Each structure stands twice: as C-alpha cells, then as structure tokens.
Amino acid sequence: MNATPVRQHRPEAESETHSISLLLNGKQVQLTVEPWTTLLDLLREHLNLTGTKKGCDHGQCGACTVLVNGTRINACLSLAVMQDGAEITTIEGLANGDQLHPMQAAFVEQDAFQCGYCTPGQICSAIGMIKEGKAKTRDEIREQMSGNLCRCGAYTNILAAIEQAMPACQGESRE
Amino acid sequence: MTIHLEKAVSRVDGPLKVTGRALYAGEFGTADLCTGYVVNSSIAKGRILRIDTTEALKVVGVLDVLTHENRPAVASYNESYTDMDAADGKHFRPLYNDRILYSMQPVALVVAESFEAARYAASLVRVDYESEPPQADLYAQRSEAHKAPTELPPDRGDAEEAWTQAPVKVEAEYHSAAEFHNPMEMHASTVIYSTDGKLTIHDKTQGVQNSAQFISNIFGLPDGDVRVVTPFVGGAFGSGLRPQYQLVLATMAALKLKRSVRVVLSREQMFSFGHRPETLQHLKLACDQDGKLVSTIHEVMGETSSFEDFTEMVVVWSASLYQCPNVRLKYDLVPLDLYTPLDMRAPGAVLGVYALESAMDELSYAAGIDPLELRIRNFTATDPASGNNPYSSKELLECYRQGAERFGWNKRSPQPRSMKEGRQLIGYGMATGVWEAMQNPASAKAVITIDGSVVVSSATADIGTGTYTVMTQIAAECFGLPLEKVTFKLGDSTLPKAPLEGGSFTVSSVGSAVKQACEALQQQLLDQAKQDDQSPFKNFELTDVIFENGTMRIKASPQECIEITELLKQGGSPSMEALASASPKEERDNYTTATHSAVFVEVRVDEDFGTVQISRMVSAIAAGRILSLKPGRNQILGGMVWGIGMALQEEGMLDKKLARWMNHNIAEYHYPVNADIHDLDVIFVKEHDEIVNPLGAKGIGEIGIVGVAAAIANAIYHATGKRIRDLPITLDKVFQS
Ligand code: FES
Ligand code: FES
C-alpha cells in the first residue's frame, strides 16, 4: 500500500495579519496582508495587478520580476510583509498614460515577444539590469537576462529591444 | 503592390502585452471567485482505496474537496469525451473513478476562498492507494509494441534487398527523450458561473470551440450554456490542443458549488499531462557511388499510454523528402503507464526528420560526398510518397543555395575534427526540414460600420503566433484601410467556426476565410451601389473596383468613387456584415503542399568541458508568401531556439520504477535561456504558390524547428568526430562517446 505522507498540521489559531504600506506604481497604499502571502500573490490575487506573471512560483523563470526600490526581484520569492515601506514598480506602472516607457516601446518595435507572458518580467528585468550598469556587451546582456525565461524563444529580439532602449533608460536612471 | 501584407508591421496586440493589460485565462475574476488547487496521485498504477479530506476541510476558507466520490455527474460514455485532437482510445476522464492510470493523475480538487488556503489544504488531503507495479521503460517494453493505428505511405520496391546490394550504406539507431511543452503560462481555467447556470469559461486553449464542446458534452449542458472566451494564450505549442484536466475540474467545482472557480496548475503539475513521446528510431540508408539513394528503411517505436494510442506524422517524411526507389516504413507504439503523449510543435516531423537527416549525414561521410551536395543530388521535384504528385511549390534548392551562401558552407573543411580555435572544436552541420502546408475549413465574419471601421472575427487563437496581427493585415489590405481602422477578434467560442490553432494552418485556413468574408462584404457594398440606376458602378464587377481609405473606386477610372459611409446610409443601416466559409480547393488534391527549410549550424565544442555552443545558425525557409514579417521571422527564430533545446537540453527524466517524471520544474527541466542563444539568421526564400490557398501563404509555426536537431548533431560530429545518436546531447555524452 502506498500513502500520501502526513504533514504536520499548522496550529488552528486565526492567522495574524499584518499592516503594510507600499508606494505602488507611484501611489501610496495601505494593506493588510497575511504572513504567508507572497508579493506576487498580493499583486495578482489581491490587488488585481495581473500584469506581473506567475510562471513557476519558485524563482526559476523570472516572469514575476518587479522593481523594488529600483532593483529587480522575483516577486514570487518575497513575502508581502517583507516589503513594508518599499517602493514597488510593476509593469502597470511603467507607461506614462498612453506614452510607453522606452523599454516597452522597444519591445513592441523589435517584436521582442510572441505570447507576451514572459514580457512584463523581461521588461522590468531589463530596466533593472540597465540600472545595475554591469552589462556592457551583447554577451553580458544575454547572460544577465538569463534569469528571465522565454519559452517562445524570442531572445534574439529581446536582446535587440534592450540594446535599442538602453541609451534612453540610462538617461532616465541618471536623472 | 501591397500596403500591409508582406510588410514588417508591429503586432497590433503589442501595446496590451507590454503594459500588462493583456488578460490570460487565469487572470479573469468576479467578486464571488474561489480557487481550486489540484491534488495529484503519488502512485502510477492501481486504485484509490480511501480519500480522507477531514483535515483539509478544517482549514479556514476551504469550501469543499471534490473527489471521484462526490463530484457532479459526468458522462460515462467514452464518445462524450472526444475532442478535436483526440487520439485513438479512451480520453482520460478526470475524477471519474478510483482507477489510477499514471503518476500525478489528479485525484482531488480542494476549493477555497483563497489560493493560499486551497494550496495548503491540498497538502492535507490523505489518499490511500492499492498500488500495482507500473511499466514505464520503453526499451524493456519493446516486445509489447503494436502497430500504430495510422496509414503510412505504401512500401516501394524491395528496400531490404536494395540495402544489402548497395555499395554505400549506413545503419543506425537514434533515441530522443520525452519533452514537455512548458509554455510560460501554466494551464488555467476560470469558470464564471452566472445565476442562470450558464458558464463563461476562460480556458488556456488553442481552440475555444473545442473546450466549449467538450464541456457541453461531458456535463450534458446545452451548447448555448457554455461559452469559452480566451483572448490571450501565454504560449501552448500543442499543450492547448486538447482540453486539459484543469478545465474539467474547475467546471465540476463551479457546477457543484454554484460559484465561479479558478484552477491554475502549478509548474510541477505542468508535467502531469501530455508530452512529446520518447522515441526510438532505426534507420537504414543506402546509395550508389554517385550518392543517389537506393534504399530507405525507417522504423519507429514511440511511447503511448495504456488508454490511448497517440500517433504522429513521424515516418512519412522518409518516403517523400528524397527520390528513392526502395522504401520501407514501420511505426509501432509501446504502451506505458504514463499519460498519453500530446502533439508538440511540429509533432512527428521533428523526430522523424531528426533521424532521417542524421542518417543522411552519416551516409554523406560513407559516400565521401559533401552533406549538402548529397541532399541536392537526391532532391525531388515531385512527391514520391503520393505517386509523384507535383508540389504546389517547392523552393528547397533555393533554400540550400541561399542558406549555404549566407552561412559560408564553402568554408567547411570536410574532415571531422579539422576545424579548431584554441581549445574549441568547430563544426559545421546542416539538415533539411519539411512540414505539411495544410488548410482546414474555417469561417469568418466581416462587419463594416458607419465610421468606416472594419471588424473581422473568427473563433481562432493567437498563442503568440501573430494571428491578431496577420488577420488585421489581411482585412486592412482588402479594404485599403490603415491598420488602426481594422480590428480582428478571436478566442470566443460564439464567433464563426475555426479549426484548432495548430499545425501551421491558421493563416492558410482562417486567413482565407477572413479574405473571403471581406470580399463578400465588398460584394454587398458594390451591390448596394448598383441599386442606384445612375451609379457609375452599374456595369462593374468586384474585380474592377478597389477599396481605399473608406472609399470604393473603379480601377480604370479612379475618379469614380463613392464613400463607404455613403453606401451604408443608402442601405439604411449603420453597418453591413458578411459571413464566409473557406475550404481547401479541390485542385489541391493533385498536389503535395509543404514548407521546406535548409538549416546550417556552427557549433563550438569545448574540448575540456564538453560544452556545446551554437555559435551561428542560418535557416532558409520556403513557406510561400510571408504575410507578416515581424511575427513571421519571430516564429522561425522561436523554432530554432526550440531546436537548440531539443538537441542539447530538453529531457523529461523518468524514474522508471515509479513511472514518475522527476525533473518536474523548470530549473531541472532545461530549455534555452538568453545566454544559450547567439547568432540566429532567418532567410525567407521567395516562393510563389497559387495552389495552396488564395493567399499563397503556407504557415510557419512548425517549419522553424524541423531539422534543427539533426543539423546540430551533425555539426557536433563534424567538430568532434563523435556521432551521438541520443538526444539531448548533454556534455556527459560528448565526453563518453
Ligand atoms: S514566478 Fe517567480 S520566478 Fe517564476
Ligand atoms: S513571449 Fe512567450 S514566453 Fe516569452
């Protein structure tokens, strides 16, 4: 006979919720979160900001990349409570009204996606990577963008889009 | 001259995708939405004895746990479970009874108010099984093989005798690992339950009508009660060709709880259904002293499940790609205790052509003829597998020529291991690729409104292929309108009938319907104009007029022109619409229709580490007219990346004792990342075709991957002198062989 292993049951006590505040896409928000809710699930499940994607929930794909205080992170690997006071930018917060961010515009122009599911993560990651300032060559960009999988295989065009948007983004991060 | 077609147009859905506003199946919601999380079996074969849900039900927020014992009624007859891409046999029926047919089979669905509660409670569901030993070893089960239920081209001549007598011959066995589709978006279904019991379902699928029909059938719901709406699909590559189990489970829960339910599979669960089958191929090729093929024997053994016979077009290519008088094919299936394999990008062709084109490479060395030259010598302008029908078009020789030139094939030194840079061995390899150019019946509706805009629709899908864009281009071209004035709608089961989005036949099928619907609408506008006896259009036919920026003109006298809005006013209606259905022309039957490619690869193999880098690849494609250049090129690039994955990385690793995939996550199931991809170059060879369909476009979703794995394996041989006949070619194999 084969049985499912029995797990330790968690105490029945009502969960303790936490109050956090975020500067989310330029807006100050006050939220009550449960301790086990990831930043990704907070965005997608609770705030209806589904532009940030879930591709694995394990830090393996980069689809959930967002910018926290300007640094790219995998939102699935961070608990929401850990981000109290942080400034968070998601794909929904990049454009200025109808005016696309230079990286977004470059992705459209270079056709740097197919299905578009990895795209928000690629774009946020690319912006974060440029800010890190360590990618000087094409091979370095490829390497430093390798945490963002694209199953459609649009890598050639992703590279082209990043190269196109890089000068504009560098200007922006200097401002 | 065209205004939109064959142009590099940016995707019309691009802005939605780069701003995160494109909504995928698991991203729709309603106020009453609850979440389901799947519990999967831990054994591969046997019975469920008992499912204890007590602890799970205690978790705050949990609403119910569905199992085979308490689910709503479903159809029991197998026929009800058929789908548009069904394999022979019995479709898997989720939560149907206590039988376990494969490891990670869904056995329960926990439904809760929140995702976190459902996921946690799922870990508390306790299942007791009675387990039987599963069989999952393709090699060990070879003796259990049976003939695949599919028709193969007839044998020609006496292949065995010809092989025996031939002066130059090779014989080899090739193995390829199971592969998983792993689209970035995990399979998801959101079932919106409305108070009248009707369902609106957002399902990750390549065929909204396929999902709608399937759900209607198995739950006995009237057709009008189920609507499937999926505007965006985060990749699929075949995984959405058949309704997957999350769709059934989410619907069960919605019907039982009378609430809206969403079920999203985890990445691990993405390994709990279809995959490209592990395959074993035996090839014998022989040629004369001049390199002319005299014998082709191709035998394939593919895996299937215990409940269905999965077949794909795996051996047929060996009967048609080259002229050869003696051919024998064989295709067997070995049932294993795994889920049924599933069509995956260029199903069959990637495998069959991998083996054939690897063997051709081996033959080229045996014959002492350049591999490219060997292919050119065996080129055929007619299709030997169909009694030498002509091809509707076949610019394969141009693919060879242009591809070789761009790549610099003439710089290849013939000897293996003869090209080196430092500690890097350099190898050049090439292969031919082929895929069918199909057309299936499809319908579309075109509507023109008083503001001059056109809306065209069909129940097809855009899985990243560019359907939105190319259909918009086709319609805008017909009406001479800017793209902004045209909208294409898809992904809604209530739209005009479309085939599954797959097989590279969407442009051919739906594109033809779009064109015909636009033309039918134009005819109506012309007829409207003719109502007026004084009309200058009175004596003209559709072929005599052109549509341009909201007007209709007579070609011969363009000053004779009428505003479309004026015509609509005359007709007394704010809009006019036309529905059209397109079917393949009978004329096609006299031809073979196919896309072709020539793939050239440069590899760099590190002598010390055994690592393989694909430093350059050129793919020259003949696929008729390429209607949309940006998505078109992107499709081929994607196929090349997939070919690299297949050749070097992708491998479902099976614990054969447990019959369970062990690397069920994307850190351990490898596919290419950005750093694996270097210089990829696509050439679209001009190919004129008036037979294939009215658009002259053949479809390009598959052709980009076919042949790539062989070209890479051949290049690795050329670099190292090691012939590795087992995919993926990981560095351990480069060292060992
Ligand atoms: S979802 Fe966060 S890395 Fe994949
Ligand atoms: S565009 Fe589909 S996964 Fe990257």
Side-chain angles (χ1 to χ4, degrees), chain A residues 1-12 14 34 36-38 41-42 44-46 48 50-58 60-63 91-92 94-95 98 100 104-105 107-120 122-123 139 141-143 145-159 162, chain B residues 10-11 13-15 17-20 22-24 26-27 35 42-43 49 55 58-60 115-116 119-120 123-131 180-186 232-235 237 262 267 344-345 463-465 630-631 633-635 637-639 641-642 650 665-669 671-680:
Chain A
M1 194 161 25
N2 216 311
T4 313
V6 184
R7 295 209 194 168
Q8 251 342 44
H9 201 323
R10 203 166 48 191
E12 281 306 305
E14 271 294 299
E34 285 168 315
W36 51 75
T37 298
T38 63
D41 288 332
L42 173 71
R44 284 177 66 81
E45 303 274 327
H46 302 275
N48 206 22
T50 53
T52 306
K53 303 303 182 194
K54 185 184 279 191
C56 68
D57 226 2
H58 282 70
Q60 299 173 342
C61 76
I91 191 74
E92 289 93 344
L94 289 177
D98 277 349
L100 295 179
Q104 291 172 314
F107 265 65
V108 174
E109 196 184 327
Q110 297 292 341
D111 206 40
F113 51 87
Q114 292 177 21
C115 75
Y117 200 80
C118 72
T119 311
Q122 301 278 1
I123 290 173
D139 274 350
I141 296 175
R142 287 182 174 118
E143 181 67 34
M145 285 300 294
S146 284
N148 290 82
L149 302 187
C150 174
R151 184 51 158 164
C152 294
Y155 297 123
T156 302
N157 295 354
I158 291 171
L159 176 67
I162 294 173
Chain B
S10 289
R11 277 175 210 253
D13 52 338
K17 285 179 172 171
V18 300
T19 53
L23 281 186
Y24 298 80
E27 300 176 341
T35 301
S42 61
I43 67 157
L49 294 178
E55 293 301 306
K58 280 188 201 157
V59 173
V60 179
F115 165 70
E116 291 95 333
R119 181 179 54 184
Y120 172 58
S123 73
L124 302 174
V125 174
R126 194 195 145 100
V127 186
D128 294 336
Y129 303 94
E130 181 180 86
S131 149
F180 285 82
H181 305 70
N182 272 313
M184 282 310 298
E185 177 202 20
M186 298 171 293
F232 292 98
V233 181
F237 317 104
R262 171 163 70 210
R267 181 55 65 185
M344 180 166 160
R345 202 169 199 172
I463 61 171
T465 40
K630 283 191 190 182
R633 176 169 173 272
N634 208 335
Q635 278 299 299
L637 289 170
V641 171
W642 270 58
E650 297 193 38
N665 62 72
I666 43 182
E668 290 169 282
Y669 180 92
Y671 59 77
V673 300
N674 210 322
D676 295 320
I677 303 307
H678 298 273
D679 185 0
L680 305 185

Side-chain angles (χ1 to χ4, degrees), chain B residues 449-656:
Chain B
T449 43
I450 199 91
D451 66 356
S453 64
V454 172
V455 178
V456 188
S457 57
S458 178
T460 182
D462 188 333
I463 61 171
T465 40
T467 315
Y468 276 115
T469 307
V470 69
M471 299 304 162
T472 304
Q473 286 174 270
I474 293 170
E477 185 77 36
C478 286
F479 281 98
L481 284 172
L483 294 174
E484 306 76 61
K485 281 283 201 185
V486 178
T487 307
F488 183 71
K489 287 189 183 161
L490 52 68
D492 182 336
S493 60
T494 61
L495 295 176
K497 203 163 167 40
L500 291 170
E501 196 283 341
S504 295
F505 50 67
T506 298
V507 164
S508 179
S509 310
V510 180
S512 298
V514 165
K515 185 168 191 282
Q516 285 185 23
C518 290
E519 286 165 358
L521 183 53
Q522 291 174 335
Q523 185 64 53
Q524 286 184 30
L525 290 164
L526 180 61
D527 291 347
Q528 176 64 45
K530 288 183 181 183
Q531 300 258 321
D532 174 2
D533 280 340
Q534 307 303 314
S535 168
F537 291 88
K538 197 72 199 166
N539 297 316
F540 290 97
E541 300 303 321
L542 198 54
T543 44
D544 303 321
V545 301
I546 53 164
F547 288 79
E548 216 173 50
N549 277 323
T551 65
M552 182 171 74
R553 290 169 196 275
I554 296 167
K555 277 184 197 162
S557 45
Q559 72 284 0
E560 296 292 2
C561 140
I562 184 163
E563 301 271 331
I564 307 256
T565 50
E566 183 54 35
L567 282 172
L568 290 177
K569 275 187 209 143
Q570 287 173 12
S573 151
S575 68
M576 202 181 262
E577 64 179 59
L579 184 71
S581 297
S583 291
K585 288 185 286 187
E586 253 172 52
E587 197 188 359
R588 278 176 60 109
D589 297 346
N590 307 323
Y591 295 86
T592 293
T593 55
T595 52
H596 292 90
S597 69
V599 189
F600 297 85
V601 169
E602 177 189 278
V603 298
R604 284 164 183 265
V605 182
D606 189 290
E607 272 209 278
D608 300 315
F609 296 110
T611 48
V612 177
Q613 187 196 74
I614 310 300
S615 41
R616 288 193 301 130
M617 196 188 313
V618 175
S619 190
I621 304 285
R625 268 171 103 199
I626 307 302
L627 297 183
S628 195
L629 287 184
K630 283 191 190 182
R633 176 169 173 272
N634 208 335
Q635 278 299 299
I636 302 302
L637 289 170
M640 292 159 90
V641 171
W642 270 58
I644 293 174
M646 177 186 178
L648 302 180
Q649 301 177 349
E650 297 193 38
E651 177 175 20
M653 295 178 180
L654 195 63
D655 182 315
K656 290 181 177 152

